[in-house]
Amino acid sequence: MYPENEYLSLSALQHMIFCKRQCALIHIEQQWIENQFTAEGRILHERVDRQDTGIKGKVKIEYGLPLKSAVLGVTGKADVVEFHRQEGGGWLPFPVEYKRGKAKKNNSDKVQLCAQAICLEEMLTVSIEKGALFYGKTRRRLDVEFTELLRNETLEVANALHEMFRAGITPVAKYNKKCDTCSFYEICKPRAFQKRRSVSNWLEKQIRSGTDEK
């Protein structure tokens, strides 16, 4: 359990899985660089946030609902929470997160959504089995089951996030293909760091080689 003064941004969980260095640049160093993809994502979320709360049949829809969790130590807001009317009475929350692109190979979006569900469970004393991710590029909704495995991963990512914040250290750059479309490329300079590391490794080998010859 985390005290409220240690709560971190819920969205940092998604960043943490995508790239720990990017996460630290945004949430520890407080830097933000926008490109086409981040702008499209921001506009999509702004459109969702401007929607009015309403009831459609047996579903009540809330937009921009504030969230927090002591178990995860995070705070943020949900894009959309659908409250489904239950036969025995009451409303069961169903979180829906909007993303600009398409479904990812990693679990970053699912972990972010699962964290929202855990927040709602704590706040409303309910049990939530499923939520959904809506992707703007495909215009499709992907249902996500909050399995024990996904819940454990979400908790592990949250704990790792808190550990990184306590250390206050931005991880070193490690280049891979996803870096090419990252808005932080010019700040991060992963290829430049890779070259510096290669030179450093070469020098270390030369020093070791010279020592071995003596």
Side-chain angles (χ1 to χ4, degrees), residues 183-198:
S183 61
F184 282 83
Y185 187 90
E186 290 303 318
I187 291 178
C188 181
K189 298 187 182 300
R191 286 186 181 275
F193 185 86
Q194 191 175 45
K195 290 179 181 178
R196 291 198 299 271
R197 186 170 56 186
S198 296

Side-chain angles (χ1 to χ4, degrees), residues 11-196:
S11 63
L13 300 177
Q14 194 267 355
H15 297 141
M16 189 73 173
I17 294 178
F18 175 76
C19 173
K20 291 181 180 179
R21 180 172 172 80
Q22 185 205 64
C23 181
L25 289 171
I26 295 172
H27 299 282
I28 294 180
E29 299 188 15
Q30 298 294 302
Q31 299 192 55
W32 179 252
I33 303 296
E34 190 155 85
N35 64 8
Q36 174 190 346
F37 305 116
T38 59
E40 288 175 355
R42 174 177 53 79
I43 292 170
L44 176 62
H45 283 87
E46 288 174 352
R47 287 175 179 170
V48 174
D49 289 343
R50 287 197 296 266
Q51 299 295 316
D52 294 326
T53 296
I55 297 178
K56 297 180 180 179
K58 294 183 177 181
V59 179
K60 180 168 62 174
I61 304 174
E62 296 279 353
Y63 298 91
L65 190 67
L67 301 172
K68 64 179 181 179
S69 165
V71 171
L72 300 177
V74 298
T75 183
K77 66 178 182 179
D79 283 340
V80 177
V81 179
E82 298 176 353
F83 289 86
H84 295 220
R85 188 187 295 277
Q86 303 300 291
E87 291 184 4
W91 301 83
L92 182 64
F94 184 93
V96 182
E97 176 70 11
Y98 280 65
K99 297 295 182 182
R100 58 152 294 278
K102 59 183 180 180
K104 299 178 178 63
K105 294 180 180 180
N106 61 41
N107 274 353
S108 57
D109 292 344
K110 293 180 180 179
V111 162
Q112 184 179 358
L113 185 68
C114 185
Q116 294 179 11
I118 292 173
C119 289
L120 290 166
E121 288 177 335
E122 286 187 43
M123 294 166 61
L124 304 175
T125 317
V126 295
S127 178
I128 304 173
E129 296 182 358
K130 294 181 180 180
L133 294 163
F134 177 85
Y135 289 97
K137 187 171 184 178
T138 60
R139 307 298 297 177
R140 290 188 177 182
R141 198 154 124 162
L142 174 68
D143 283 346
V144 177
E145 184 178 354
F146 303 127
T147 63
E148 184 177 355
L149 188 64
L150 181 57
R151 289 172 182 273
N152 288 339
E153 182 181 359
T154 303
L155 181 59
E156 289 172 3
V157 173
N159 289 337
L161 177 66
H162 281 275
E163 289 176 8
M164 187 173 73
F165 262 75
R166 282 193 290 268
I169 299 174
T170 299
V172 298
K174 294 181 180 180
Y175 174 80
N176 60 51
K177 191 174 181 180
K178 66 184 178 184
C179 296
D180 295 333
T181 56
C182 179
S183 61
F184 282 83
Y185 187 90
E186 290 303 318
I187 291 178
C188 181
K189 298 187 182 300
R191 286 186 181 275
F193 185 86
Q194 191 175 45
K195 290 179 181 178
R196 291 198 299 271

